Amino acid sequence: MSRLLLLNTDLELGGTPEVIRQLERRLRAAGHAVEVACLGRYGPVAEQIVEQGGVVSAFDRRAMSVVSAVGDLHELIGERKFDRVLSFLM
């Protein structure tokens, strides 16, 4: 199966983070290795993902420093060897 990274701007309460939470759970149940990352802080949906057994990385970047997260994202992708990155709201 595939190693997947689901990437979003944030994991606060809202429609897209909820879709990511459900997608992460279903992909993992189908046998994929799935992780979630966000450019913002570790929010409530991140906590829910971890509670259901998922893995979350949060870069804790503010709007003005999002560009600095590119290096962190590059490092995460390189370390974890993801096959695919699915990006939402970016």
Side-chain angles (χ1 to χ4, degrees):
M1 291 290 169
S2 297
R3 291 193 48 73
L4 306 171
L5 176 64
L6 307 180
L7 177 64
N8 196 37
T9 52
D10 66 75
L11 292 170
E12 300 295 332
L13 296 175
T16 302
E18 176 60 20
V19 168
I20 290 169
R21 185 188 67 76
Q22 291 183 29
L23 183 60
E24 184 276 339
R25 182 179 51 81
R26 292 175 183 178
L27 286 168
R28 213 165 19 91
H32 297 281
V34 184
E35 294 187 32
V36 177
C38 69
L39 299 181
R41 68 179 186 84
Y42 195 91
V45 176
E47 293 171 8
Q48 293 170 356
I49 292 169
V50 170
E51 286 174 4
Q52 66 188 27
V55 175
V56 176
S57 297
F59 300 126
D60 197 24
R61 296 293 196 265
R62 305 291 184 261
M64 297 304 289
S65 66
V66 165
V67 173
S68 66
V70 172
D72 293 336
L73 181 59
H74 184 267
E75 187 176 316
L76 178 69
I77 293 169
E79 285 176 4
R80 304 275 173 61
K81 309 282 189 233
F82 293 108
D83 298 314
R84 302 279 184 273
V85 176
L86 287 82
S87 175
F88 301 81
L89 299 177
M90 291 186 210

